[in-house]
Structure formats: C-alpha cells, structure tokens
Amino acid sequence: MTFIGRPNPELAPAYAKYYFDRTIGQEDLLLALEKNLDETVHFIDSLPESKADFQYADDKWTLKGVLLHIIEAERVFQYRALRFSRKDSTPLNGFDEDWYVNHNNHDQRTLQDLRDEFLHVRRAGISLFKGMTTSMLDEPGTANGTPNTSRNLGWMMIGHAIHHCNIIKERYLVDTDEAF
C-alpha cells in the first residue's frame, strides 16, 4: 500500500527527527494522520476555557496561540507536500512561527473555533495525501534550504501536533484538574 512507510530523515531538516520520533511504532501514514486527528480533537475538547489565554511565562504564546500555530504549521506543511508531490522544484522559503503567532489574531478566537479549524485543516491534509502515489509521496523538494518529501511532511504534521499537545499538558495545564 502507498501509505506504508516511515519517514526518511536523510531527506528532512535535522529538527524533523524529533517529530518523527513522536510517531515511532506507526507505519501507515494515512492511519496515523487519522488517529492523530481524533486524538488531537479529543484533547482540544478537554481543554478548559479558563486556560485559553494563559501563558506559562511572559514571553510564551497563549494556549490559543499554540493551537493556532499547530494549524498554521499544518497548512505550511500541506502546501509544501502539494508542491513537492507535483515535482515543483522551486525552492520554498521557511516561515517565522513567532511572526505568524504575533499576527494571527488568535486572541479573538475561541477554543471551539480553533478545534473546528484544526479538524477541517487536517481533513484537507488527509484528502491531499490520499490522492498521492508512492512516487508522489517520496518526490524530494526543498524548503528553507533543506530537502524534504511529502511523506516526511505528513509524519512531521503528526509529530508536530503531538509535540505541542505535550507542551500544553506539561506547561499549560499543570495547576488544573485537566492535566493528563
């Protein structure tokens, strides 16, 4: 099956290995994307509204800022995956996640709104990946001066969401009954 296969760290930025490691034990990209979708939506549903604007330090994002960052990174990863899978060899720029969070209006959003947006964006990503062949998944491209593939980007989406949900659990929910 097309979607069976782990990421290739040799065709990925060095930081991606951390995200890949969050997905160890999973082999099917589509199943992993769908499982992580369910887990992430369930997690967002469990977040207390009282923590929505909480920052664990002055220079850190609010919980809503973290959630919108997950969504925006998904969009960037999906766009890169689309371009690479279509053999578009144009090098893509990186993006400054702090700049995006500082200009994305997350403070005017609700947890429910962010949950729904994550659901829609991830479903769109799953649809994108479903239409790819093995060669499309493994077609290399360049973003931020580093090679990558669509398959790697799919696994990065999962690991990135897991990473930030863990940060929320460890740093945002420590003084609540909702901590996992």
Side-chain angles (χ1 to χ4, degrees), residues 38 56 76 81 84 95 130 132 139 146 156 159-160 172 180:
D38 293 340
Y56 66 89
V76 170
F84 297 167
F95 77 105
K130 277 183 180 178
M132 292 184 192
E139 182 69 32
T146 307
M156 288 170 64
H160 183 258
Y172 290 78
F180 289 75

Side-chain angles (χ1 to χ4, degrees), residues 12 20 22 31 39 41 49 67 70 77-78 94 119 132 139 171 176:
F20 298 158
R22 311 280 72 75
L31 288 178
E39 292 169 348
V41 167
E49 194 64 44
L67 293 176
I70 294 169
F77 293 158
Q78 288 174 24
L119 180 72
M132 292 184 192
E139 182 69 32
R171 299 181 187 166
T176 68

Side-chain angles (χ1 to χ4, degrees), residues 3 5-7 16 18-24 26-37 39-40 70 73-74 77-78 118 122 126 129 150-166:
F3 305 102
R6 295 288 301 153
Y18 174 83
Y19 296 140
F20 298 158
D21 288 350
R22 311 280 72 75
T23 69
I24 289 177
Q26 300 178 74
E27 297 291 330
D28 185 310
L29 177 59
L30 272 185
L31 288 178
L33 283 164
E34 291 169 356
K35 177 182 178 213
N36 180 253
L37 167 65
E39 292 169 348
T40 304
I70 294 169
E74 292 253 339
F77 293 158
Q78 288 174 24
F118 174 79
R122 175 59 69 86
I126 291 169
F129 285 103
S150 296
R151 183 185 307 275
N152 285 349
L153 288 158
W155 288 107
M156 288 170 64
M157 286 167 45
I158 299 163
H160 183 258
I162 291 169
H163 163 70
H164 282 292
C165 288
N166 286 338

Side-chain angles (χ1 to χ4, degrees), residues 3-175:
F3 305 102
I4 302 297
R6 295 288 301 153
N8 180 354
E10 292 178 16
L11 285 175
Y15 70 85
K17 183 181 180 326
Y18 174 83
Y19 296 140
F20 298 158
D21 288 350
R22 311 280 72 75
T23 69
I24 289 177
Q26 300 178 74
E27 297 291 330
D28 185 310
L29 177 59
L30 272 185
L31 288 178
L33 283 164
E34 291 169 356
K35 177 182 178 213
N36 180 253
L37 167 65
D38 293 340
E39 292 169 348
T40 304
V41 167
H42 175 74
F43 176 68
I44 296 170
D45 285 341
S46 75
L47 296 173
E49 194 64 44
S50 63
K51 288 287 190 171
D53 295 309
F54 175 75
Q55 295 171 267
Y56 66 89
D58 287 339
D59 60 339
K60 298 299 180 182
W61 302 336
T62 66
L63 189 146
K64 290 191 297 189
V66 173
L67 293 176
L68 195 47
H69 163 70
I70 294 169
I71 295 164
E72 290 177 338
E74 292 253 339
R75 284 191 163 109
V76 170
F77 293 158
Q78 288 174 24
Y79 176 69
R80 291 174 179 175
L82 172 68
R83 297 273 304 261
F84 297 167
S85 72
R86 300 324 190 248
K87 298 181 182 256
D88 185 340
S89 61
T90 308
L92 300 173
N93 291 330
F95 77 105
D96 182 338
E97 59 192 32
D98 288 316
W99 179 268
Y100 277 52
V101 171
N102 289 334
H103 296 90
N104 67 12
N105 201 34
H106 63 271
D107 55 333
Q108 300 301 310
R109 309 287 293 277
T110 66
L111 291 178
Q112 181 66 44
D113 179 45
L114 293 168
R115 174 236 191 247
D116 292 345
E117 186 172 350
F118 174 79
L119 180 72
H120 296 303
V121 169
R122 175 59 69 86
R123 283 185 177 157
I126 291 169
S127 293
L128 172 67
F129 285 103
K130 277 183 180 178
M132 292 184 192
T133 64
T134 301
S135 63
M136 292 168 92
L137 282 167
D138 296 326
E139 182 69 32
T142 302
N144 203 22
T146 307
N148 214 334
T149 68
S150 296
R151 183 185 307 275
N152 285 349
L153 288 158
W155 288 107
M156 288 170 64
M157 286 167 45
I158 299 163
H160 183 258
I162 291 169
H163 163 70
H164 282 292
C165 288
N166 286 338
I167 293 292
I168 291 169
K169 291 174 194 174
E170 295 165 8
R171 299 181 187 166
Y172 290 78
L173 302 178
V174 293
D175 62 345

